[in-house]
Amino acid sequence: MKKIVTMGEIMLRLSTPNNEKFIQADEFDINYGGGEANVAVSCANYGHKAEFVTAVPANEIGDCAVAALRKYGVEVEHIAHCGERLGIYYLETGASVRPSKVVYDRAHSSISTATAKDFDFDAIFKGADWFHFTGITPAVSDSAAVLTEEALKAAKKHGVTVSCDLNFRKKLWSSEKAKKVMTNLMQYVDVCIGNEEDADLVLGYKPGATDVTKGDLELAGYQDIFKRMCKDLGFKYAISSLRVSHSASDNGWSACIYEAKSGEFYHSKTYSLHPIVDRVGGGDSFAGGVICGFLDGKDFKSALEFGVAASALKHTIPGDFNLVSRKEVEALAGGTGGQIRKTEVTGPLGEKTICKYAILDGNLGVIEIAEAAGLSLVSSNLRNPLYTTTYGVGEVIKDAIAN
């Protein structure tokens, strides 16, 4: 069991129930979460010692936030109780072609006014193996940016591996300010995590011709910017999640990683996320899974696969926290569950069409076969290519086994 420390803001989340719009809602569902808090919960859930460092107000709402962390085994010994209030965010969960909406109310939150004097970083990092922060924390306020650097200096003093999820938030700061602050903080970072937008807006590195809204992923572009980032900024690993958004409730999900030492680039399995229950915390669950993989001693490819599988499962869980078990993640990461594949089907008159399917528990679960309803499945993707039968819309193929 290894020790990970994360530091950032935990917030009160108020979300509309049943995919309602804000204007429809007469009540809100209550959860607590935040980028670094979500990572701490994931790592604690997988069996590592996880501590979250933050500041919350000395009142009942602050106590509730701490209790939410303690409930899932996160250590809270060094949380400071100071400042005026807990930050709040309101979530309207989208569906189909309607995107989700978030409204923040976090000005003057406790973490935004906290200083290094509120924390004993030598005690916090004693015996720690890993420290994780995101670009959200230094964006909250100038004071929080200074606090973040003080924590990073202490982490490196104690020989702790540091990871950062760039996590650009345009509602908190401009790209110009993000580049100025975050480029300075990168000198302390060993493992950099972020998507293509983060790399561009936070660090000024842009991948090749990639437009995820059109379902495009130019992997060669990522390999190029990862190589440059590692060379320029000294990262040991550069990592990006890869989301292809077909709609608010239908995404493709994978990730890629570059190891500076070997110069090797790796792209993970791709999962079909449909329907998405809650994508908030999806990136955090990915970071938490990858970090867990490294803490377990996995090689970088296996660590990436663990993170992608963990995050794919998080999209099925409401709330910020990823509450799946290590066993569930390993089962998905080690198998073929959820992967998208395509096959050709032929009809009774010899007509051919392409349908998509996903591997589920060793069977073939049809995702989109409406066009192929009643047609015979013949595919070289099957272990027995001569296996042929007929299925209707949405039926699960029990007998065919994937390669």
Side-chain angles (χ1 to χ4, degrees), residues 32-49:
Y32 294 89
E36 298 90 346
N38 300 342
V39 170
V41 170
S42 285
C43 290
N45 193 42
Y46 300 139
H48 290 291
K49 184 178 181 180

Side-chain angles (χ1 to χ4, degrees), residues 178-197:
K179 288 176 182 177
K180 180 179 179 180
V181 174
M182 293 297 289
T183 300
N184 173 58
L185 298 182
M186 292 303 102
Q187 64 182 298
Y188 307 102
V189 174
D190 301 293
V191 180
C192 182
I193 304 170
N195 61 30
E196 72 291 334
E197 182 181 41

Side-chain angles (χ1 to χ4, degrees), residues 123-145:
I124 289 169
F125 289 112
K126 182 179 181 180
D129 300 284
W130 198 288
F131 176 54
H132 179 75
F133 75 104
T134 76
I136 297 174
T137 302
V140 168
S141 68
D142 291 341
S143 175

Side-chain angles (χ1 to χ4, degrees), residues 136-181:
I136 297 174
T137 302
V140 168
S141 68
D142 291 341
S143 175
V146 173
L147 174 65
T148 302
E149 185 166 15
E150 291 302 310
L152 287 166
K153 290 178 179 177
K156 300 313 287 186
K157 173 184 173 183
H158 287 265
V160 176
T161 298
V162 174
S163 61
C164 173
D165 189 338
L166 299 176
N167 251 338
F168 178 72
R169 293 291 185 270
K170 64 182 179 181
K171 293 183 179 180
L172 291 177
W173 59 359
S174 67
S175 175
E176 290 70 27
K177 186 170 184 179
K179 288 176 182 177
K180 180 179 179 180
V181 174

Side-chain angles (χ1 to χ4, degrees), residues 377-389:
L377 177 68
V378 289
S379 173
S380 59
N381 287 329
L382 304 181
R383 184 166 294 159
N384 178 1
L386 299 179
Y387 179 87
T388 302
T389 190

Side-chain angles (χ1 to χ4, degrees), residues 133-290:
F133 75 104
T134 76
I136 297 174
T137 302
V140 168
S141 68
D142 291 341
S143 175
V146 173
L147 174 65
T148 302
E149 185 166 15
E150 291 302 310
L152 287 166
K153 290 178 179 177
K156 300 313 287 186
K157 173 184 173 183
H158 287 265
V160 176
T161 298
V162 174
S163 61
C164 173
D165 189 338
L166 299 176
N167 251 338
F168 178 72
R169 293 291 185 270
K170 64 182 179 181
K171 293 183 179 180
L172 291 177
W173 59 359
S174 67
S175 175
E176 290 70 27
K177 186 170 184 179
K179 288 176 182 177
K180 180 179 179 180
V181 174
M182 293 297 289
T183 300
N184 173 58
L185 298 182
M186 292 303 102
Q187 64 182 298
Y188 307 102
V189 174
D190 301 293
V191 180
C192 182
I193 304 170
N195 61 30
E196 72 291 334
E197 182 181 41
D198 296 328
D200 180 17
L201 297 177
V202 178
L203 298 179
Y205 291 85
K206 189 173 182 63
T210 299
D211 186 348
V212 296
T213 63
K214 296 180 179 179
D216 297 330
L217 287 176
E218 182 59 56
L219 292 175
Y222 285 92
Q223 184 172 3
D224 174 62
I225 65 165
F226 283 177
K227 184 177 181 179
R228 287 189 283 125
M229 288 166 64
C230 289
K231 180 181 178 180
D232 296 346
L233 300 170
F235 303 144
K236 295 178 181 177
Y237 297 96
I239 305 169
S240 179
S241 58
L242 302 170
R243 184 188 298 273
V244 178
S245 183
H246 306 297
S247 74
S249 49
D250 183 3
N251 292 178
W253 184 250
S254 63
C256 55
I257 186 170
Y258 177 82
E259 184 184 50
K261 183 178 180 180
S262 65
E264 189 171 356
F265 178 83
Y266 177 73
H267 180 219
S268 74
K269 300 174 185 175
T270 299
Y271 295 93
S272 174
L273 308 181
H274 177 72
I276 293 173
V277 174
D278 192 340
R279 65 173 280 177
V280 176
D284 304 322
S285 62
F286 169 66
V290 171

Side-chain angles (χ1 to χ4, degrees), residues 236-382:
K236 295 178 181 177
Y237 297 96
I239 305 169
S240 179
S241 58
L242 302 170
R243 184 188 298 273
V244 178
S245 183
H246 306 297
S247 74
S249 49
D250 183 3
N251 292 178
W253 184 250
S254 63
C256 55
I257 186 170
Y258 177 82
E259 184 184 50
K261 183 178 180 180
S262 65
E264 189 171 356
F265 178 83
Y266 177 73
H267 180 219
S268 74
K269 300 174 185 175
T270 299
Y271 295 93
S272 174
L273 308 181
H274 177 72
I276 293 173
V277 174
D278 192 340
R279 65 173 280 177
V280 176
D284 304 322
S285 62
F286 169 66
V290 171
I291 292 168
C292 175
F294 279 123
L295 291 175
D296 289 347
K298 291 180 170 64
D299 62 80
F300 71 94
K301 296 178 184 179
S302 298
L304 187 74
E305 292 289 2
F306 188 91
V308 174
S311 186
L313 289 168
K314 163 62 190 77
H315 285 74
T316 71
I317 298 172
D320 277 44
F321 298 155
N322 191 12
L323 304 178
V324 297
S325 69
R326 175 187 284 268
K327 184 177 180 180
E328 288 173 308
V329 176
E330 290 176 340
L332 182 58
T336 51
Q339 294 179 59
I340 306 172
R341 296 193 183 186
K342 293 183 179 180
T343 190
E344 184 179 82
V345 295
T346 182
L349 300 179
E351 68 274 25
K352 296 183 182 296
T353 188
I354 300 295
C355 69
K356 292 196 295 187
Y357 63 86
I359 314 285
L360 300 170
D361 299 324
N363 300 319
L364 300 181
V366 176
I367 296 179
E368 296 177 7
I369 199 170
E371 310 93 328
L375 302 183
S376 299
L377 177 68
V378 289
S379 173
S380 59
N381 287 329
L382 304 181

